[in-house]
Amino acid sequence: MTEPLLKVENLQTQFRTEGGLVKAVDDVSFEVQPGETFALVGESGCGKSVTALSIMGLIPNPPGEIVSGKIEFNGVDLLKLSGREMREIRGSKIGMIFQEPMSSLNPVLTIQSQLTEALRIHTDLSKNATNDRAVELVDMVGIADAKTRMKQYPHQLSGGQRQRIMIAMAMSCTPQLLIADEATTALDVTIQAQILDLMKDVTEQSGTALLIITHNLGIVARYANRVAVMYAGQLREVGEAVEMYTEPRHPYTIGLLRSVPRLDSEKGTPLAPIAGEIPDLTNLPSGCAFSPRCGWAVDKCFEESPLLEETSSGKKVACFEHQSVALNVQ
Ligand SMILES: Nc1ncnc2c1ncn2[C@@H]1O[C@H](COP(=O)(O)OP(=O)(O)OP(=O)(O)O)[C@@H](O)[C@H]1O
Ligand SMILES: [Mg+2]
C-alpha cells in the first residue's frame, strides 16, 4: 500500500455564529491516494466546501476555526504550517477550482495575466517561458486559438470556457492534488460531462490526484475511484465508486442515488427526492443526524449516533441498520 497523498484525520471545523456554534465538519477522516480520483458527495450545506477550505488553509477565522484533527499532505501536517508555508503549497502542490468560477476570475485582468500568476509566484521560469506555458495550458484545456485568448478578458469567454480556464489555472504548476468544488454545477449537462472528462484527462496525464466535490452522486460514477458520502458534517459511507452504485449501504446514499438521474437507470424511472431537510447544524438531532428523515430508523437511531465502521467487504458505513437496509433494497 502506498503512502496516502492526503490524510484527513478526525477533522473538526466549526463556525461561531449568532445562531450558535455550527459544526460544519464533525470528526471527518479520509485518505486520498496519489493519482486517484476521490469524490466527496452530499446535499447542500453538509460541509463539503468547508472540508475543502480546511485542507487549503482558507477557513476565515473568525468566525471559523479548525478545532481538532490533522490534515497530512505528503506526510506533513498542514495545520502546523505558517501562513507563508501554506501559501507556498497552495497553488503549486494543491490546486483548487472554487465553487463560484466568476468570482474567482478577475474581470479586469487578461486571461494571460491570470494564467501566469501562479507560475510567476511559484516558479523561476522566464517571462517568455511563462507565457508559452500559458498558451500550452489553454491548448491543454481544449480552447481553440490559444494565442488570441491570451489578450482576452473573462467576459469574452463562455461559461464552459471560463471553467476550462479555471482548470488551466489550477493545473498551471502541475499540482499533486486538484480540488474541484462543484466545478461543473452551473453548466448544462453536456458541458458538465465535457468538463469532468477534461479534468479526468489532465489530471491523469500528470498523475495529479483529483478530489471532486459534488452534490450529484450520479455524475461521479464514471470518474471517481472512491466516494465518501457526507451528511450534516459527518461521513456516513465511504467505499469504491462501483460498489457505491451496485451495493449502497447507507439509507442516505440510497436516497441520494434515487434522487438523481443515473446513467444505468431505465428511461422514465421516476426520481425520488429525499423527504425532509438537512438538520440545523447548530442544533443537531440526538442520535443519528439522518434519523428524522430515515425510513429504516429504529429506536436506537434516535438515541445514539453510529460510528463509521468497516464492513466485511471493506466499505465503511455509519448505520446501525445497514444490514437490514441492504436486504430491503435488493
Ligand atoms: N463563513 C461561514 N460562517 C458561518 N457559517 C459557515 C461559513 N461557511 C460555511 N458555514 C456553514 O457551514 C455549513 C457547511 O457549509 P458548506 O459550505 O461546507 O456546505 P456544502 O456542503 O459545500 O454545500 P453546497 O453544496 O451548497 O456548496 C453550512 O451550515 C454553512 O452555513
Ligand atoms: Mg459548497
Side-chain angles (χ1 to χ4, degrees):
M1 187 88 182
T2 47
E3 276 296 301
L5 175 67
L6 176 74
K7 193 170 174 187
V8 175
E9 241 177 59
N10 307 108
L11 180 68
Q12 278 192 298
T13 308
Q14 303 179 345
F15 293 92
R16 275 179 202 288
T17 69
E18 279 178 14
L21 189 66
V22 177
K23 294 183 174 178
V25 176
D26 191 12
D27 200 17
V28 162
S29 303
F30 64 94
E31 293 176 359
V32 179
Q33 303 299 329
E36 88 164 324
T37 299
F38 189 90
L40 188 58
V41 184
E43 285 165 295
S44 186
C46 71
K48 306 180 299 292
S49 292
V50 173
T51 305
L53 295 173
S54 302
I55 297 168
M56 295 296 280
L58 292 175
I59 293 294
N61 182 354
E65 192 187 356
I66 295 180
V67 291
S68 65
K70 258 191 196 175
I71 301 175
E72 281 184 7
F73 181 70
N74 281 324
V76 174
D77 189 351
L78 297 184
L79 301 181
K80 299 223 167 88
L81 297 186
S82 67
R84 195 187 58 78
E85 289 168 322
M86 200 54 221
R87 273 194 297 280
E88 192 47 49
I89 288 185
R90 219 168 26 229
S92 66
K93 302 272 194 305
I94 307 179
M96 180 158 173
I97 304 170
F98 292 90
Q99 198 163 346
E100 310 288 341
M102 259 328 263
S103 56
S104 315
L105 286 174
N106 188 330
V108 300
L109 293 180
T110 60
I111 299 302
Q112 174 169 284
S113 105
Q114 304 195 51
L115 271 176
T116 51
E117 188 188 350
L119 293 165
R120 279 181 270 129
I121 296 173
H122 298 291
T123 71
D124 304 324
L125 291 177
S126 69
K127 193 163 180 227
N128 278 346
T130 310
N131 289 344
D132 288 348
R133 170 75 177 146
V135 172
E136 191 184 298
L137 286 163
V138 172
D139 256 345
M140 177 186 84
V141 296
I143 299 182
D145 213 0
K147 282 208 169 107
T148 318
R149 303 290 180 180
M150 291 297 130
K151 303 284 171 251
Q152 293 188 329
Y153 292 87
H155 74 268
Q156 293 171 286
L157 305 179
S158 71
Q161 286 171 334
R162 284 196 288 263
Q163 205 56 344
R164 286 169 190 262
I165 294 293
M166 297 294 301
I167 297 171
M169 275 168 72
M171 289 299 290
S172 61
C173 296
T174 323
Q176 289 172 288
L177 174 67
L178 175 65
I179 303 178
D181 188 357
E182 302 279 9
T184 62
T185 310
L187 304 167
D188 75 53
V189 185
T190 337
I191 314 276
Q192 279 192 30
Q194 286 173 7
I195 297 286
L196 281 162
D197 282 334
L198 172 68
M199 283 197 300
K200 189 82 185 157
D201 277 356
V202 295
T203 49
E204 256 169 23
Q205 274 168 29
S206 57
T208 299
L210 179 59
L211 173 56
I212 298 186
I213 295 180
T214 175
H215 63 271
N216 189 340
L217 186 49
I219 219 164
V220 293
R222 275 164 53 194
Y223 305 96
N225 303 102
R226 286 186 308 130
V227 175
V229 174
M230 193 166 190
Y231 187 74
Q234 298 178 329
L235 298 191
R236 303 282 83 186
E237 182 159 5
V238 185
E240 300 287 324
V242 179
E243 252 193 316
M244 211 59 99
Y245 291 87
T246 53
E247 283 177 60
R249 284 294 178 129
H250 196 283
Y252 181 59
T253 313
I254 295 166
L256 282 180
L257 280 171
R258 287 185 180 156
S259 66
V260 293
R262 288 176 59 163
L263 295 168
D264 59 351
S265 55
E266 287 188 17
K267 237 185 168 168
T269 310
L271 300 182
I274 308 174
E277 282 172 16
I278 68 158
D280 175 359
L281 295 184
T282 58
N283 185 20
L284 288 171
S286 55
C288 171
F290 189 59
S291 59
R293 302 172 76 182
C294 181
W296 284 288
V298 295
D299 288 350
K300 188 178 180 185
C301 307
F302 297 98
E303 289 153 14
E304 271 177 61
S305 182
L307 297 173
L308 200 61
E309 279 174 354
E310 199 156 325
T311 67
S312 52
S313 69
K315 176 190 266 190
K316 290 182 182 158
V317 188
C319 175
F320 295 124
E321 286 292 295
H322 72 81
Q323 265 142 353
S324 44
V325 170
L327 288 178
N328 272 313
V329 170
Q330 280 152 14

